[in-house]
Amino acid sequence: MIETKDVYFTYPNGVEALKGVSLLINDGEFVAIMGQNGAGKTTLVKHFNGLLKPTKGEVLVDSINTRETSVAKLARNVGFVFQNPDHQLFCESVEEEIAFGLRNFGFEESLIKKRVDWALNLLDLTKYRQTSPFLLSGGERKRVALASVLAWDPKTVVLDEPTIGQDHRQKEKLRQFIVQLNTQGKTVVVVTHDVEFVAESNPRVVLMSEGKIVADGLAEKILTDEALLTKASIVPPQISQIFLQLSDLGFPANIIDVYQARDVLLKRLEARRK
Amino acid sequence: MPIIETKDLTYTYQGATKPSIREVSIKIEKGEFVILTGPSGCGKTTLCRCFNGLIPHFYTGTLNGTINVANLDVTKHQIHELARHVGFVFQNPENQLFALSVEKDVAFALENLGTPRAEMQERIEWALKAVGAYELRERAPHELSGGQQQRVAIASVLAMQPNVMILDEPTSFLDPLTAKKIFEVIAELNEQLGITVILVEHRLDLTAQYADHVIIMDEGKVVLDGNPRDIFNSEEARLIGVGIPKATRLFQILKEDGINIKSVPISSAEAAKALRRILKHD
């Protein structure tokens, strides 16, 4: 469980990035944090593993105040995958990269080997075991970063903009993977402005603007509220745009996905025929 | 006369075991808005590097076939000559920005092109305002966020008003509304000044409506080349794994349920209009 209580954060250069954020994320939730550039999304999630400590207010991770513990301890429970994988990777081979975190947490060598194999396989990286992460493509490096975090099996995984630089197919794979992690009981927090990506899985959306939370609810509710989205510099998903333009025809207001759209349209046409 | 034409273009980077692009033959007409897309690693960026001479002048390797841009044989003209015609916004803005202030970064290319001072100031102001970065003009580019850097990189190319603008995923770090505004500015330049636009993009929901020509690559080859409506609606595009616009996808799955429509929509406005018609007349 992650709880932020009226959190304020000011960077050393004076920029006030968070202005009173209170948020409760329960175990096993899938949360997408959305909002415009500079809204404070990344600043907020960096509080979840203690990388940043609030200037005012407090953050509790499993009831432990982040001020009273170390990042190393928190990281065991909250794994963080950065926006830019180059800020995270540094080892000479993919295998070493994944083993690094495990060694730091003091896992037994025999277990490390098992975990590395497991993570390589999970993210389809086995063929790159001996390759330098820096010879891989951007999308592949992102998968290495994710593998290195999942290897130590943290309870919560935070992914900052995981879809940047990924093509459609990789994005779909990643989405299925995230949903799968979540179904297996992991808490997943994704920072993203990719509305189509969010629309396809309908998670809880926390919408931020100028350092504050401005809305909190299911994606189908938040991503169909045009006035609210405009304030947060987000464009509704294309399917919801279509239905917003047909709002006079009395369709349900919460349609964000193509299959959902097909079903209501077929139902309407069927009713007309009768 | 096409503004860009390649014939049987094959290129292998030095040290690579196989070509990154293979037998690419395409024609891009002046004033077109082209979307170039395809899976990661399909050769999109490599092809774009051939359009401004980075290949073969900066990246060494083996090139076969021909490339002509604005009547110039790219293999025989240097990057600085081609830069008069072709502006390039890179995928990673950090690779492009270097000056001590945003304003100086935008001014750099104009200075090199010998633009008169008064006009230069006008263009810098216009370009920075167009991308919503005017208030950043005195900041140092390396201190900006990824999204802000991306806007400055676009402004520095906009200011040049080149004949051809190549944009390689220019808005990947930007929030959707800012990205949409930038695509609108680019579409406007294309429309009003006749600037040829080549946009490398995965996010087709945001951009398909502007295109009048779509090129899809896969494994180094051009596999689809033509009209956006036909291409997005083709089975091949979906099988390659291109993220076709959701508006188009909706009509494809409605078709499977026996609902037919003549013109396939590629934007939400078109889809809404078509649905309204179907719901009224059915």
Side-chain angles (χ1 to χ4, degrees):
Chain A
M1 198 174 78
I2 296 169
E3 189 176 11
T4 74
K5 289 182 179 168
D6 203 21
V7 165
Y8 284 76
F9 184 80
T10 307
Y11 281 101
N13 65 6
V15 174
E16 201 181 9
L18 298 177
K19 302 171 186 168
V21 174
S22 296
L23 175 68
L24 179 69
I25 298 174
N26 278 309
D27 287 347
E29 273 200 277
F30 177 10
V31 182
I33 299 182
M34 306 188 76
Q36 71 221 85
N37 293 120
K41 306 181 296 281
T42 300
T43 306
L44 176 63
V45 294
K46 280 184 176 166
H47 280 79
F48 294 173
N49 69 345
L51 273 179
L52 295 176
K53 311 273 155 98
T55 313
K56 212 171 91 190
E58 54 190 29
V59 178
L60 305 176
V61 177
D62 292 329
S63 309
I64 295 166
N65 191 325
T66 57
R67 276 211 197 83
E68 285 151 17
T69 183
S70 66
V71 178
K73 279 205 183 103
L74 286 165
R76 183 71 185 79
N77 280 325
V78 183
F80 204 102
V81 183
F82 289 91
Q83 185 171 355
N84 186 342
D86 297 347
H87 294 170
Q88 178 154 10
L89 304 175
F90 56 91
C91 291
E92 282 180 15
S93 72
V94 168
E95 184 176 45
E96 276 303 302
E97 192 66 58
I98 299 174
F100 181 82
L102 296 169
R103 283 212 179 90
N104 263 355
F105 287 123
F107 282 78
E108 296 274 335
E109 274 307 310
S110 59
L111 189 57
I112 289 176
K113 201 190 161 298
K114 267 191 206 146
R115 288 289 185 95
V116 170
D117 289 349
W118 173 81
L120 284 170
N121 184 35
L122 189 67
L123 284 145
D124 200 14
L125 292 165
T126 306
K127 62 181 171 209
Y128 297 127
R129 183 186 280 273
Q130 306 292 346
T131 310
S132 159
F134 294 95
L135 292 176
L136 302 179
S137 75
E140 287 161 344
R141 283 208 293 274
K142 226 149 183 167
R143 296 214 302 275
V144 175
L146 183 56
S148 67
V149 168
L150 289 175
W152 76 73
D153 198 24
K155 213 165 91 183
T156 301
V157 185
V158 180
L159 300 113
D160 195 359
E161 294 290 2
T163 66
I164 288 184
Q166 307 272 351
D167 67 29
H168 180 69
R169 190 171 282 169
Q170 292 164 340
K171 237 196 246 189
E172 182 49 28
K173 263 190 174 168
L174 180 74
R175 194 182 67 78
Q176 287 172 3
F177 186 72
I178 290 174
V179 170
Q180 191 191 338
L181 281 178
N182 182 239
T183 340
Q184 289 164 358
K186 279 213 195 312
T187 311
V188 180
V189 179
V190 178
V191 173
T192 183
H193 49 232
D194 192 330
V195 281
E196 300 296 343
F197 184 76
V198 174
E200 283 169 25
S201 3
N202 198 21
R204 171 183 172 193
V205 170
V206 172
L207 193 65
M208 294 187 72
S209 177
E210 294 172 6
K212 288 183 179 156
I213 292 176
V214 290
D216 184 347
L218 263 190
E220 60 177 36
K221 189 163 160 277
I222 309 278
L223 296 184
T224 50
D225 188 336
E226 207 175 11
L228 185 64
L229 291 181
T230 305
K231 242 192 276 169
S233 205
I234 287 179
V235 180
Q238 195 159 46
I239 292 296
S240 104
Q241 281 177 38
I242 295 171
F243 282 88
L244 285 166
Q245 289 171 56
L246 298 173
S247 61
D248 56 313
L249 300 181
F251 285 108
N254 61 350
I255 304 166
I256 54 175
D257 174 79
V258 266
Y259 294 99
Q260 223 184 344
R262 175 194 59 187
D263 294 348
V264 298
L265 287 166
L266 288 177
K267 214 163 128 193
R268 176 66 65 91
L269 288 167
E270 191 69 18
R272 288 231 164 182
R273 277 193 200 109
K274 285 177 188 163
Chain B
M1 181 86 196
I3 192 152
I4 295 179
E5 184 168 12
T6 72
K7 276 189 197 145
D8 292 326
L9 186 64
T10 298
Y11 178 78
T12 311
Y13 286 100
Q14 194 165 37
T17 49
K18 56 173 199 209
S20 292
I21 50 173
R22 289 186 289 161
E23 292 151 34
V24 171
S25 298
I26 52 162
K27 281 181 190 171
I28 292 171
E29 299 296 334
K30 190 173 174 346
E32 277 189 326
F33 192 119
V34 183
I35 287 183
L36 175 59
T37 189
S40 293
C42 71
K44 305 182 292 281
T45 301
T46 303
L47 181 59
C48 288
R49 284 174 180 159
C50 298
F51 297 156
N52 75 339
L54 279 178
I55 291 175
H57 304 299
F58 180 77
Y59 294 95
T60 50
T62 321
L63 186 142
N64 287 301
T66 63
I67 332 160
N68 276 290
V69 174
N71 287 328
L72 302 172
D73 178 344
V74 169
T75 59
K76 297 201 176 88
H77 289 83
Q78 292 302 309
I79 295 172
H80 67 89
E81 288 173 79
L82 293 158
R84 292 188 173 271
H85 304 279
V86 185
F88 201 129
V89 178
F90 293 92
Q91 205 166 14
N92 186 347
E94 284 178 19
N95 293 349
Q96 178 150 15
L97 304 172
F98 58 90
L100 292 174
S101 82
V102 163
E103 208 163 22
K104 283 185 184 138
D105 233 315
V106 180
F108 179 76
L110 295 176
E111 281 169 353
N112 277 351
L113 296 175
T115 314
R117 196 174 162 77
E119 192 189 337
M120 205 159 91
Q121 269 167 343
E122 231 168 72
R123 287 223 220 159
I124 293 170
E125 192 180 321
W126 166 81
L128 285 172
K129 281 184 176 161
V131 299
Y134 188 64
E135 71 284 4
L136 303 173
R137 65 190 180 281
E138 283 166 11
R139 301 269 298 273
H142 65 266
E143 287 175 353
L144 302 178
S145 74
Q148 289 168 328
Q149 286 181 341
Q150 219 157 22
R151 281 187 268 172
V152 174
I154 295 167
S156 64
V157 173
L158 279 185
M160 288 163 63
Q161 302 192 343
N163 293 328
V164 180
M165 264 180 87
I166 302 169
L167 304 112
D168 194 353
E169 294 189 53
T171 67
S172 55
F173 297 144
L174 296 174
D175 58 58
L177 199 59
T178 310
K180 186 169 172 251
K181 282 183 189 151
I182 282 178
F183 289 132
E184 282 165 0
V185 171
I186 295 165
E188 216 176 278
L189 285 170
N190 167 254
E191 198 113 301
Q192 291 172 358
L193 303 176
I195 293 178
T196 308
V197 173
I198 300 168
L199 176 65
V200 176
E201 194 52 64
H202 291 302
R203 295 198 287 182
L204 302 175
D205 294 284
L206 276 178
T207 52
Q209 55 184 308
Y210 305 117
D212 30 43
H213 182 175
V214 171
I215 298 172
I216 298 183
M217 294 182 71
D218 192 24
E219 296 181 354
K221 288 194 162 180
V222 169
V223 285
L224 290 165
D225 180 359
N227 169 293
R229 221 167 286 275
D230 298 340
I231 289 185
F232 292 140
N233 195 34
S234 68
E235 188 71 4
E236 294 101 306
R238 207 162 57 81
L239 292 178
I240 293 165
V242 169
I244 58 170
K246 290 287 186 308
T248 312
R249 185 72 195 121
L250 176 60
F251 278 76
Q252 288 178 340
I253 62 173
L254 282 172
K255 199 173 174 182
E256 288 164 16
D257 279 296
I259 292 158
N260 229 330
I261 171 173
K262 279 190 199 98
S263 177
V264 182
I266 55 174
S267 71
S268 60
E270 286 178 10
K273 219 169 126 192
L275 284 173
R276 202 175 275 282
R277 227 169 21 230
I278 294 175
L279 291 165
K280 270 196 183 136
H281 293 297
D282 197 77

